[in-house]
Amino acid sequence: MSILRTSRAAVAVMLMSLPVAGFAQDILSVTNGDQTVTYTREALLALPQEIVVTSNDYVDDLTTFQGPSLKSVLEASDIGEDATLKMVAINDFASSVPAGDAFEYQVILAVLSDGEEMSVRDKGPIWVIYPMTDNTELQDDIYNGRLVWQLKSITAE
């Protein structure tokens, strides 16, 4: 009988550690010094939204991306345009990005692509998007390296 109780207890602990449907999970952390702010998809969608219609080397056609501006997220964490951002993806790919890009261009943290949430398989849940079609100077390999998809964290350096 004690084995059965132990097994039930172990199952209960495992179930409690699993994500619960209906509860929002953090998908992005933004760190400046010793302060970290986390965001759920719902929190990102609750911020003022920007729309960027653009193409890049990773989509075939003009695509409508939606999400908060990177600038607004940086400002909420007191990150200025002089900072360098370490952007890290779910697979630990990292890119160093000048924060000044967010202050000069309409860079967004896209959470929707053509009105649909992006799955991890489709470069989501967050993809850093630059307005490349409207700014020919952004159509350069250096900016392709800044289009971090599956973004999970931003750290000011």
Side-chain angles (χ1 to χ4, degrees):
M1 222 4 109
S2 65
I3 294 173
L4 183 56
R5 285 189 189 143
T6 303
S7 295
R8 284 184 183 165
V11 169
V13 168
M14 287 189 301
L15 289 175
M16 289 188 301
S17 67
L18 294 173
V20 179
F23 288 94
Q25 295 180 1
D26 294 335
I27 61 170
L28 177 66
S29 65
V30 180
T31 302
N32 185 14
D34 60 356
Q35 179 181 345
T36 298
V37 177
T38 59
Y39 295 88
T40 63
R41 180 189 312 268
E42 292 76 11
L44 290 171
L45 285 168
L47 295 172
Q49 300 291 290
E50 301 283 333
I51 294 177
V52 173
V53 180
T54 194
S55 62
N56 59 47
D57 287 354
Y58 308 103
V59 294
D60 294 329
D61 299 311
L62 280 177
T63 304
T64 302
F65 295 99
Q66 177 183 324
S69 71
L70 175 58
K71 178 182 174 185
S72 67
V73 170
L74 296 179
E75 288 176 335
S77 290
D78 295 322
I79 299 172
E81 62 186 299
D82 296 347
T84 297
L85 308 174
K86 180 178 180 184
M87 296 192 166
V88 181
I90 292 170
N91 67 358
D92 293 326
F93 168 83
S95 182
S96 290
V97 176
D101 285 1
F103 292 81
E104 184 173 349
Y105 300 104
Q106 186 187 8
V107 180
I108 66 169
L109 300 177
V111 291
L112 300 178
S113 173
D114 288 331
E116 300 291 328
E117 291 183 357
M118 294 179 288
S119 68
V120 171
R121 173 175 243 152
D122 294 323
K123 300 184 176 48
I126 304 167
W127 188 2
V128 179
I129 293 292
Y130 281 68
M132 297 177 125
T133 300
D134 292 340
N135 299 278
T136 56
E137 68 274 19
L138 297 177
Q139 297 168 16
D140 187 276
D141 285 342
I142 194 166
Y143 293 99
N144 281 326
R146 298 175 186 175
L147 299 175
V148 179
W149 57 78
Q150 300 173 341
L151 181 70
K152 71 174 181 180
S153 68
I154 300 171
T155 302
E157 297 183 324

